Amino acid sequence: MEEDVKKTTMKIEGEVVVMKKNLLDFKDVMASLLDRVHELFGRRVSLHLISSHQPDPANEKRGRLGKAAHLEKWVTKLKTSVTAEETAFRVTFDWDESMGPPAAFVIKNHHHSQFYLKSLTLRGFPGGEGGPIHFVCNSWIYPSHRYRSDRVFFSNKAYLPSETPELIKELREEELQNLRGNEKEGEFKEWDRVYDYAYYNDLGAPDKGPDSARPVLGGSPELPYPRRGKTGRKPTKSDPKSESRLALLNLNIYVPRDERFSHVKFSDFLAYALKSVTQVLVPEIASMFFTSMTVVLSSPNGHTISKLRDVIPWEMFRELVRNDGERFLNRSAWRTDEEFAREMLAGLNPVVISRLQEFPPKSNLDSAKYGNQHSSIREEHIEPNMNGLNVLEALEQNKLYILDHHDALMPYLTRINSTNTKTYATRTLLLLQEDGTLKPLAIELSLPHAQGESHGSVSKVFTPAEKGVEGSVWQLAKAYAAVNDSGYHQLISHWLQTHAVIEPFIIASNRQLSVVHPIHKLLHPHFRDTMNINALARHILINSDGVLERTVFPSRYAMEMSSSIYKNWVFTDQALPKDLLKRGVAVEDPKSDNGVKLLIDDYPFAVDGLEIWSAIKTWVTEYCTFYYKNDKTVQTDTEIQSWWTELRTKGHGDKQHESWWPSMQTRDDLIETCTIIIWIASALHAAVNFGQYPYAGFLPNRPTVSRRFMPEPGTDEYAELAEDADVAFLKTITPQLQTLLGISIIEILSMHSTDEIYLGQRDSPNWTADDEPLEAFKRFGKELELIENNIIRRNNDKRFKNRTGPVNIPYTLLYPNTSDYTREGGLTGKGIPNSVSI
């Protein structure tokens, strides 16, 4: 009998890769010392493999546990380091061969402190087809007494719920229950692994007084909003519906530990923040910045430019202030109408412009509440600049376009203008010319009627002019339009439509899709760091008196305004082809790969974006087709159905009754849904985020606030405008401290971290054990590299004037950067990270 046991018992060699605590944590030295003491006293890190063939005698629904194995030589760490931060340890398992290949393992940390478990690899395992068995973990392991149940990790084999090996089904469900938290109450601790939902009720600080209070977003028809991650913090004393906030310098906001930034990312984030915000804290820089800007607007010189080099984005400024011996005012690229219009197609916010389909433009606001809000722009305003066309001809030829912020802003304009902001709701009309560029025709500036909103709007129309006070007035009109667009970009295009809407998908996926579910494996890279950056945003950016309220024109009404826009958000319209059709900038074309044809051929965001969209959809189609052979497989997937139900009824609960949600009854539903999620998290976010520093770092190009209204003839302000247009311009746009604070923030937001993982890349080559999906992912990467070449080629093609424009900066915001593994990071102006990570 003993000989039989010897024959079936074998030694299995494994390698465990771990990383100790955050390098920025100064307590780590003491923690490491205590861990060594624990190790010497036999309190070690143990691992038990779980059989996929033999049931546990104590619970026949689970696989049998193997004997405990321990990480070897923890104290001396004799194993060579994988990287500067990671260490590989040997581990040897005694394993009964009859138990078959392990499907999972349990790990118990009996040390004093936590560590990051990256992976376990078992080599030369019989039954493993001669290759290694990989367990990709990527999780923080706290001391075992912190957990109510064991930490379990599964091999990298993907299983639909119905195909899961019987002996790990219960473990699969138990792990999901742990992540749901079972309605856990009280404030969550850093070792809690709970994903749950909450309203945006933590933006205000009502205990400080009514001026710091903010309405709860989400949970009501009046103020709907996507849900955020729950923290469990206590309510405020003065308002039980509002959640208390941490001290400003306390960045330890709860998100599940595995959603926190890596130490590399956090190091980068703090370093970038320190570098940027330091500029705000040095008064000399602030004074120099605005003094120099005033000078350079009128007459640049080498001394001034050398000073400016240190405080604003020089790469952009070098192009904007090309000094060829003539006055900057006459040669500044950012002031040209062509650049103003081009940035609607290839700038920071290229997702709003639409085709004008009726003239004059009409409002969709409720006339019973807001009166007549239709446009006052008429043919006589625009036809003199329409290159010989009349309005009817231009409409028929799809030549008229509009940047329309009127309806979004008008309901809030009275309140916004009660603050230090003085601004308008704007409409900008443009003509598509034969060379593919857009030509501004008119800008309408509207205010609510002085007798009340129900009396409609009062509007003025401004048309292009180059010289004299008329030219200065036109520059101010463009500035007011840019202020509208800057605020809409930051609040809606960027925050709401990428950061906020994607967080419920992250929560639902972790609560309802097991880590071994193929759709979890597909989507998980696109959720990296999002909950953490959103928590930081609630803490310092979008909160009451936060950076956004201080630097963007809607001020204290910013988030409330974004809630009103969310009322019109439609998930299925986030698909790029549908978005382009909805805005009228494309028409249906069955012959096209994406089913659409652009009406503006040289629309860099759309041209590059459609190629990216197509590549993502092809990848998702190939991946989903491998696991889902037909529609019934989707219908009977219990986890997918629970995921989709919870996403609609809880995550985006204020929109649960909308008819446009996919039914999730077909494979096509699943493919389209996953494609949209990946598109939003990767390419859409990249397009509206990483251009902030290049395009908005020079504030006259993208002012975020206007401090006074358009000067009226006969006033002192009008006389000042006529005498010194540049001084008047700077007095109108964002003030000094706000400018520096805003530039500091957008510099941070535009940085790629040095651990960035781009679209078409994964953090581990062993993310799945299935060969066909691995091959499909390789094809996806190759397609993205081809798109990189296409973008370079188009940027070098002089026929496409919108690719570089007067500022001569190539459009690279949708350059995937899949081919780049240098991990250099920084201000590159290109690259599509997998996720909304900054």
Side-chain angles (χ1 to χ4, degrees):
M1 184 68 180
E2 289 183 4
E3 290 183 2
D4 291 339
V5 172
K6 288 180 180 178
K7 288 180 181 177
T8 58
T9 301
M10 51 193 286
K11 298 285 187 183
I12 301 298
E13 296 294 331
E15 181 182 80
V16 175
V17 179
V18 306
M19 183 178 70
K20 280 298 293 176
K21 288 174 65 178
N22 194 313
L23 293 183
L24 295 177
D25 191 336
F26 298 109
K27 298 177 182 178
D28 194 35
V29 175
M30 180 57 69
S32 294
L33 178 61
L34 290 172
D35 287 343
R36 287 180 169 87
V37 172
H38 281 63
E39 188 81 10
L40 291 172
F41 281 90
R43 298 181 64 181
R44 307 173 68 185
V45 176
S46 65
L47 296 87
H48 297 260
L49 299 179
I50 301 176
S51 171
S52 59
H53 289 181
Q54 284 189 14
D56 188 330
N59 183 352
E60 294 189 352
K61 292 183 178 180
R62 299 190 179 201
R64 180 180 166 190
L65 283 179
K67 292 182 179 180
H70 299 88
L71 300 189
E72 300 172 14
K73 301 180 180 179
W74 181 282
V75 175
T76 56
K77 296 186 179 180
L78 293 180
K79 185 69 179 178
T80 56
S81 177
V82 175
T83 72
E85 299 83 24
E86 297 167 358
T87 305
F89 291 93
R90 282 185 57 188
V91 60
T92 304
F93 297 92
D94 290 327
W95 186 250
D96 187 335
E97 190 174 350
S98 65
M99 292 169 68
F105 75 91
V106 170
I107 187 166
K108 296 181 180 181
N109 176 13
H110 299 292
H111 284 177
H112 169 269
S113 59
Q114 69 269 29
F115 59 86
Y116 185 77
L117 176 64
K118 187 168 184 179
S119 63
L120 165 65
T121 304
L122 304 177
R123 304 192 184 280
F125 203 100
E129 299 179 358
I133 299 177
H134 295 282
F135 299 81
V136 179
C137 307
N138 291 328
S139 184
W140 284 92
I141 309 298
Y142 279 78
S144 55
H145 71 273
R146 297 296 189 189
Y147 300 121
R148 294 182 179 180
S149 57
D150 292 335
R151 293 300 313 274
V152 177
F153 294 91
F154 301 90
S155 73
N156 63 344
K157 177 69 177 173
Y159 297 104
L160 294 177
S162 61
E163 297 170 352
T164 309
E166 285 296 324
L167 297 182
I168 64 168
K169 279 186 176 180
E170 189 175 273
L171 286 172
R172 176 176 180 153
E173 178 54 34
E174 184 180 275
E175 179 68 1
L176 285 173
Q177 290 176 359
N178 290 334
L179 295 172
R180 291 174 199 141
N182 297 319
E183 306 299 326
K184 176 180 168 63
E185 296 299 328
E187 185 170 355
F188 296 162
K189 305 299 182 184
E190 65 175 274
W191 50 81
D192 286 324
R193 304 170 57 237
V194 177
Y195 293 79
D196 207 348
Y197 303 95
Y199 301 135
Y200 275 73
N201 64 346
D202 62 341
L203 303 179
D207 291 346
K208 291 183 177 181
D211 286 345
S212 295
R214 295 294 179 269
V216 174
L217 304 183
S220 69
E222 296 77 24
L223 293 171
Y225 221 64
R227 302 300 186 256
R228 63 167 175 95
K230 182 179 178 180
T231 68
R233 292 198 301 268
K234 294 179 181 179
T236 60
K237 294 177 182 178
S238 54
D239 180 8
K241 293 183 179 180
S242 293
E243 185 173 278
S244 57
R245 295 177 52 79
L246 299 178
L248 182 62
L249 296 180
N250 183 356
L251 299 183
N252 195 30
I253 310 130
Y254 174 79
V255 292
R257 187 64 180 89
D258 293 343
E259 302 295 336
R260 298 284 291 270
F261 288 166
S262 71
H263 74 282
V264 173
K265 174 88 171 189
F266 194 55
S267 299
D268 287 349
F269 183 80
L270 289 182
Y272 295 156
L274 185 63
K275 172 184 176 293
S276 298
V277 177
T278 297
Q279 298 176 93
V280 180
L281 303 178
V282 182
E284 294 86 348
I285 294 179
S287 176
M288 179 206 68
F289 180 89
F290 271 82
T291 301
S292 300
M293 185 179 287
T294 304
V295 173
V296 87
L297 281 171
S298 56
S299 181
N301 58 66
H303 178 65
T304 298
I305 290 176
S306 68
K307 284 187 176 183
L308 283 170
R309 179 188 294 237
D310 295 326
V311 290
I312 66 172
W314 180 249
E315 296 84 358
M316 181 71 172
F317 191 73
R318 179 186 58 207
E319 299 297 335
L320 294 176
V321 252
R322 294 192 300 271
N323 187 347
D324 54 6
E326 297 185 31
R327 283 173 55 84
F328 172 69
L329 185 62
N330 296 328
R331 297 290 297 164
S332 54
W334 66 274
R335 290 201 179 201
T336 64
D337 287 359
E338 182 182 345
E339 180 60 24
F340 170 72
R342 184 191 77 91
E343 291 184 19
M344 301 176 197
L345 303 174
L348 190 51
N349 194 27
V351 295
V352 178
I353 188 172
S354 61
R355 178 165 55 91
L356 190 64
Q357 301 186 47
E358 58 180 343
F359 186 87
K362 291 186 177 180
S363 170
N364 292 317
L365 292 175
D366 182 0
S367 60
K369 185 174 182 179
Y370 296 105
N372 179 13
Q373 294 289 338
H374 299 323
S375 176
S376 60
I377 300 175
R378 296 294 180 264
E379 286 89 343
E380 57 266 27
H381 291 125
I382 62 175
E383 285 187 346
N385 287 313
M386 288 179 57
N387 301 345
L389 291 174
N390 60 42
V391 168
L392 182 61
E393 291 169 337
L395 287 172
E396 290 175 346
Q397 297 175 33
N398 301 320
K399 296 285 189 181
L400 285 178
Y401 292 81
I402 185 170
L403 185 71
D404 192 346
H405 292 302
H406 182 279
D407 284 5
L409 268 62
M410 184 56 71
Y412 286 87
L413 208 52
T414 299
R415 282 174 284 175
I416 290 171
N417 284 337
S418 70
T419 68
N420 292 330
T421 292
K422 298 295 180 282
T423 197
Y424 302 89
T426 67
R427 293 182 176 106
T428 304
L429 261 61
L430 307 107
L431 177 73
L432 178 62
Q433 303 187 102
E434 293 301 318
D435 64 356
T437 62
L438 290 174
K439 177 182 183 181
L441 297 173
I443 295 174
E444 180 182 46
L445 306 181
S446 301
L447 290 171
H449 198 283
Q451 296 180 11
E453 291 179 340
S454 62
H455 291 272
S457 60
V458 177
S459 303
K460 289 187 176 181
V461 179
F462 298 87
T463 56
E466 294 183 2
K467 297 180 180 180
V469 69
E470 293 82 6
S472 301
V473 166
W474 174 243
Q475 291 297 332
L476 278 180
K478 290 193 294 182
Y480 290 118
V483 166
N484 274 197
D485 200 54
S486 292
Y488 192 94
H489 160 261
Q490 201 64 274
L491 279 171
I492 311 303
S493 304
H494 183 206
W495 166 255
L496 174 65
Q497 294 180 348
T498 63
H499 284 260
V501 301
I502 211 69
E503 187 162 356
F505 289 92
I506 300 170
I507 301 170
S509 297
N510 281 282
R511 287 169 55 88
Q512 300 297 340
L513 298 179
S514 166
V515 293
V516 299
H517 196 290
I519 299 304
H520 186 285
K521 289 181 178 290
L522 172 69
L523 296 179
H524 186 256
H526 305 289
F527 299 153
R528 181 182 187 236
D529 294 338
T530 304
M531 290 187 73
N532 200 165
I533 194 63
N534 284 4
L536 289 171
R538 298 197 311 274
H539 189 56
I540 59 176
L541 290 181
I542 62 175
N543 57 303
S544 63
D545 303 315
V547 172
L548 199 75
E549 288 193 0
R550 291 175 181 270
T551 60
V552 179
F553 77 87
S555 188
R556 61 176 293 135
Y557 304 104
M559 292 302 291
E560 190 177 339
M561 193 179 92
S562 75
S563 169
S564 71
I565 303 297
Y566 176 65
K567 292 177 182 178
N568 299 319
W569 182 80
V570 177
F571 172 71
T572 49
D573 286 349
Q574 307 312 300
L576 181 60
K578 287 189 178 179
D579 168 59
L580 297 171
L581 290 170
K582 186 176 182 179
R583 290 191 283 122
V585 295
V587 292
E588 292 184 355
D589 180 7
K591 297 179 181 178
S592 167
D593 291 341
N594 292 293
V596 298
K597 173 181 171 54
L598 291 173
L599 295 178
I600 305 175
D601 292 333
D602 186 11
Y603 187 172
F605 163 76
V607 173
D608 298 354
L610 285 171
E611 289 189 357
I612 299 291
W613 169 269
S614 180
I616 294 172
K617 188 159 189 179
T618 299
W619 150 237
V620 172
T621 301
E622 292 180 356
Y623 184 88
C624 290
T625 302
F626 177 77
Y627 294 102
Y628 295 89
K629 303 305 179 186
N630 48 50
D631 293 342
K632 187 176 181 181
T633 325
V634 176
Q635 297 162 13
T636 57
D637 185 333
T638 54
E639 289 186 9
I640 281 292
Q641 295 304 320
S642 297
W643 169 68
W644 195 240
T645 298
E646 182 171 293
L647 183 280
R648 290 182 291 109
T649 60
K650 291 187 177 181
H652 282 280
D654 298 330
K655 289 186 164 289
Q656 61 184 292
H657 300 301
E658 299 285 359
S659 60
W660 43 254
W661 286 109
S663 63
M664 204 53 69
Q665 294 297 300
T666 68
R667 188 170 63 184
D668 285 345
D669 284 346
L670 182 61
I671 289 169
E672 184 75 359
T673 295
C674 291
T675 304
I676 294 173
I677 294 170
I678 294 172
W679 164 259
I680 292 173
S682 60
L684 181 59
H685 178 257
V688 297
N689 180 71
F690 292 102
Q692 292 187 80
Y693 190 64
Y695 285 101
F698 181 63
L699 207 77
N701 189 50
R702 295 279 301 182
T704 58
V705 169
S706 50
R707 294 181 280 166
R708 59 186 190 181
F709 293 122
M710 180 71 82
E712 295 286 346
T715 63
D716 291 343
E717 289 83 2
Y718 195 85
E720 180 183 54
L721 184 65
E723 181 179 345
D724 195 331
D726 298 323
V727 169
F729 186 92
L730 290 175
K731 283 185 177 181
T732 301
I733 65 170
T734 317
Q736 178 173 322
L737 187 60
Q738 285 174 272
T739 293
L740 289 174
L741 180 60
I743 290 173
S744 299
I745 294 302
I746 64 175
E747 181 178 6
I748 298 168
L749 298 180
S750 300
M751 293 274 193
H752 287 287
S753 69
T754 53
D755 69 344
E756 201 81 272
I757 302 173
Y758 294 104
L759 193 63
Q761 300 176 353
R762 299 283 297 224
D763 61 353
S764 170
N766 304 308
W767 61 274
T768 181
D770 296 317
D771 290 336
E772 287 190 39
L774 286 173
E775 288 302 314
F777 188 69
K778 287 181 182 178
R779 291 193 292 273
F780 177 46
K782 293 295 183 185
E783 180 62 25
L784 291 172
E785 290 180 13
L786 289 175
I787 292 171
E788 291 177 359
N789 293 332
N790 291 344
I791 291 172
I792 293 172
R793 176 180 51 78
R794 285 192 289 267
N795 285 344
N796 290 330
D797 192 329
K798 301 302 181 183
R799 293 175 300 168
F800 301 130
K801 294 187 176 181
N802 296 326
R803 302 292 310 189
T804 55
V807 293
N808 196 30
I809 293 181
Y811 184 75
T812 56
L813 295 178
L814 285 177
Y815 181 90
N817 220 32
T818 309
S819 58
D820 182 9
Y821 287 88
T822 61
R823 300 290 187 257
E824 290 181 355
L827 282 169
T828 65
K830 65 179 181 179
I832 302 176
N834 271 324
S835 61
V836 179
S837 57
I838 191 67

